[in-house]
Amino acid sequence: MFILSRRLILTFKFSLEDTVKELRPQLCYQCMKCSSGCTAAKVVDKYRPHEIVALVKAGYSDELINSDVIWACSACLKCAEYCPQRLSPFEVVMALRNEAIVRGRAPPKSFVEMAKSILELGHIQKPMYIMSKDFEEVSRTELGLPEMPKPKDIEKFKQHVLLVGFEKLKGIV
Amino acid sequence: MKFLLYLGCTTATKQYGYELSLRATLPLLGVELEYPKDMNCCGVPMKGISKFYPYYACARIMALAESQGLDIIAPCNGCHLNLTETIYMLKLNPPLMSAVNELLKDEGLEYTGRATVYHPVEVLHDRIGVEKIASAIKRKLPEMPVSSHPGCHLVRPTEFPRPETRNGPLKLDRLIEAIGLKARDYPEKYECCGAAILPYSPEAAIRVVATRIKRTLAVGSRAITSLCPYCIDMFDGKQDAAKTITGDQSISIPALYYTQLLGLALGLDKKELGINLNMSPVEVLLEEVKV
């Protein structure tokens, strides 16, 4: 059994304050370039990355963490690419999501299912049966594909995954 | 050329057409694929759960490749970006690197930074080459307009080296022209397919892909192609849902993996390429290319 050093636990400890400090939201001058190109903003009315950055900058992170709006990001990274101040609204949103997990807020159901599956199988889902155009139900074996590989020592893998941040999900899963 | 085939989750659990076509076409072009015995998720959708999980997961994948002395071919844009990002972040952050290695050591693995990661578009375009593909094909496909959708993570972020850039024609477009088809641009080519919004709101995600499909139809494209399992999952599998949600019945276009088109040009059978697993109206395209 491998013994966790204190240093190791500290390396994988998430801190919103430190992460946000690195992301420098104070540099934002609200040009709204991120929101004007944002994929999610076009289809989710209440999601506006420039507003999220402004709220974090003004110290309203708690309100965001308690809201489900932070889970709408589509991770297309356009906001980070076009920001004239080279800061990343995407990373700010990811930091808020991490903090929401640390505080025990439940993410949308699909994320919980994916996380559960990673702990069990090492992948976000099991190989599925899909319908072909000839109405046959097929999966990997029927198609002659080899079995999907799993982590060799799944128990150790699980232990490590829990250590790098999934521990916090325990209350939710 | 020999690579370790790291499929990721989406390709290996539902996008079987991509896996079948990769396994069928690449060996014909002189690429050997080794299938791993031990693999895990790269952590793209889990970034919001824990920012550290992707580092551990990707370092583990790279360490497995190193233990076999191979480089990785990652056919998913998300996996490719996450693996590249991990390589850079761990090299820039030695304490994180040693912490990750401490965990890997417990599993008998070690990541040193030797192994690299390739996307199929790099292997096809940079390593094999457009000329070689053009000379290897058995027959040219008809000159019909096809739109490529590279997918976000193939072009962004420019912080890390990405396989494609927005300056000049895409590698994917050159590959499309190499097999006889015509590459046609469309206004939302570099945009997101919306796949990552699915867990939050399936309806919103489908509205995103519906606008993309309408744009490709507006420029007269006859098919849409990509090398990302998330993009094709959206373009190919969500057309019926897009019709219902937007009420627009004109949303109908064949969506295929580039490797499936390449396989057709190499004279392979449509079943070998998994084209019968595509949900979009691929028959229209098959009739035109006469298979």
Side-chain angles (χ1 to χ4, degrees):
Chain A
M1 169 76 207
F2 117 112
I3 299 145
L4 292 174
S5 66
R6 201 179 138 67
R7 186 180 57 82
L8 202 59
I9 296 169
L10 284 179
T11 316
F12 296 120
K13 194 171 171 347
F14 179 78
S15 144
L16 182 67
E17 207 180 316
D18 292 353
T19 314
V20 166
K21 212 180 265 170
E22 271 170 42
L23 297 171
R24 304 163 302 148
Q26 69 275 12
L27 293 184
C28 170
Y29 53 72
Q30 296 285 292
C31 70
M32 295 203 236
K33 252 187 143 180
C34 50
S35 293
S36 66
C38 177
T39 309
K42 292 196 175 89
V43 285
V44 181
D45 281 340
K46 55 183 176 179
Y47 185 78
R48 297 285 181 273
H50 78 279
E51 286 177 1
I52 293 180
V53 176
L55 286 169
V56 170
K57 192 172 144 182
Y60 290 103
S61 306
D62 288 356
E63 278 75 358
L64 287 164
I65 289 158
N66 291 329
S67 151
D68 73 330
V69 71
I70 49 173
W71 297 93
C73 170
S74 86
C76 69
L77 304 174
K78 276 165 74 187
C79 54
E81 205 57 35
Y82 301 145
C83 178
Q85 293 288 74
R86 303 303 292 156
L87 63 94
S88 171
F90 165 74
E91 294 289 348
V92 173
V93 171
M94 289 301 139
L96 292 169
R97 284 187 185 184
N98 279 198
E99 181 67 14
I101 298 293
V102 170
R103 295 196 194 170
R105 306 282 183 281
K109 233 170 55 201
S110 313
F111 285 109
V112 179
E113 276 160 25
M114 287 192 254
K116 253 190 199 166
S117 171
I118 286 180
L119 289 172
E120 274 163 32
L121 315 159
H123 294 277
I124 60 169
Q125 61 206 14
K126 272 192 201 126
M128 291 194 231
Y129 274 91
I130 56 166
M131 188 78 88
S132 78
K133 276 268 161 81
D134 324 310
F135 301 106
E136 276 177 292
E137 282 228 311
V138 290
S139 185
R140 298 186 66 86
T141 20
E142 287 83 359
L143 294 166
L145 295 169
E147 207 182 317
M148 195 174 163
K150 277 185 202 170
K152 207 167 265 164
D153 190 339
I154 190 84
E155 276 311 311
K156 265 187 188 163
F157 177 78
K158 191 175 163 181
Q159 210 182 357
H160 296 161
V161 174
L162 285 173
L163 174 73
V164 295
F166 279 48
E167 190 84 77
K168 299 285 182 303
L169 268 174
K170 266 197 171 158
I172 302 162
V173 176
Chain B
M1 270 178 276
K2 195 171 174 185
F3 295 101
L4 188 73
L5 180 62
Y6 173 64
L7 287 168
C9 300
T10 315
T11 317
T13 57
K14 56 179 178 182
Q15 292 294 312
Y16 303 126
Y18 196 12
E19 184 174 356
L20 286 169
S21 58
L22 276 169
R23 287 174 184 272
T25 52
L26 290 181
L28 294 179
L29 297 164
V31 177
E32 238 183 290
L33 297 173
E34 169 95 19
Y35 197 57
K37 297 261 180 311
D38 177 350
M39 253 322 134
N40 57 279
C41 157
C42 76
V44 158
M46 290 296 115
K47 235 182 165 164
I49 305 291
S50 159
K51 73 169 188 177
F52 300 110
Y53 172 67
Y55 296 139
Y56 162 69
C58 291
R60 190 172 185 280
I61 296 161
M62 301 307 286
L64 284 162
E66 275 182 13
S67 71
Q68 300 192 34
L70 292 170
D71 284 337
I72 281 181
I73 180 166
C76 169
N77 288 4
C79 300
H80 185 274
L81 171 65
N82 233 357
L83 289 163
T84 317
E85 195 178 330
T86 300
I87 296 173
Y88 273 74
M89 293 308 274
L90 292 187
K91 279 181 185 167
L92 290 173
N93 191 343
L96 189 61
M97 173 84 132
S98 71
V100 165
N101 263 327
E102 219 168 298
L103 296 183
L104 293 178
K105 204 176 144 200
D106 186 39
E107 294 178 72
L109 294 165
E110 200 200 354
Y111 174 60
T112 59
R114 255 180 302 127
T116 47
V117 50
Y118 292 90
H119 191 273
V121 82
E122 290 175 293
V123 173
L124 288 165
H125 184 277
D126 306 344
R127 301 290 294 270
I128 297 170
V130 176
E131 294 80 22
K132 203 181 156 198
I133 290 174
S135 62
I137 57 172
K138 296 256 172 14
R139 62 200 183 92
K140 268 197 149 99
L141 299 184
E143 258 192 40
M144 59 179 208
V146 171
S147 283
S148 65
H149 191 86
C152 304
H153 299 157
L154 214 52
V155 278
R156 283 185 292 269
T158 35
E159 247 178 295
F160 307 111
R162 304 310 301 141
E164 298 271 23
T165 71
R166 293 180 61 168
N167 310 324
L170 287 178
K171 292 173 185 172
L172 191 51
D173 282 346
R174 291 210 202 107
L175 290 167
I176 289 172
E177 307 231 321
I179 56 172
L181 301 162
K182 271 255 148 309
R184 169 124 349 144
D185 277 350
Y186 74 105
E188 293 180 352
K189 188 171 174 172
Y190 298 99
E191 304 272 318
C192 172
C193 65
I197 312 181
L198 278 175
Y200 177 73
S201 159
E203 194 205 321
I206 285 159
R207 278 190 195 283
V208 173
V209 77
T211 54
R212 305 285 178 267
I213 296 174
K214 279 193 229 165
R215 288 280 194 276
T216 54
L217 289 167
V219 297
S221 277
R222 307 281 276 284
I224 187 156
T225 182
S226 177
L227 275 172
C228 172
Y230 280 105
C231 295
I232 293 292
D233 187 22
M234 293 299 283
F235 280 108
D236 177 67
K238 305 282 188 281
Q239 288 188 15
D240 282 344
K243 274 183 206 164
T244 328
I245 285 174
T246 60
D248 186 343
Q249 296 301 317
S250 67
I251 296 174
S252 166
I253 190 169
L256 296 94
Y257 288 102
Y258 172 73
T259 40
Q260 292 179 319
L261 292 170
L262 176 66
L264 290 176
L266 286 165
L268 295 171
D269 177 59
K270 61 175 182 177
K271 245 188 166 159
E272 269 177 282
L273 300 164
I275 295 181
N276 58 333
L277 303 174
N278 288 36
M279 305 293 285
S280 55
V282 279
E283 307 79 28
V284 191
L285 181 119
L286 292 179
E287 242 163 64
E288 267 182 86
V289 299
K290 294 187 192 69
V291 221

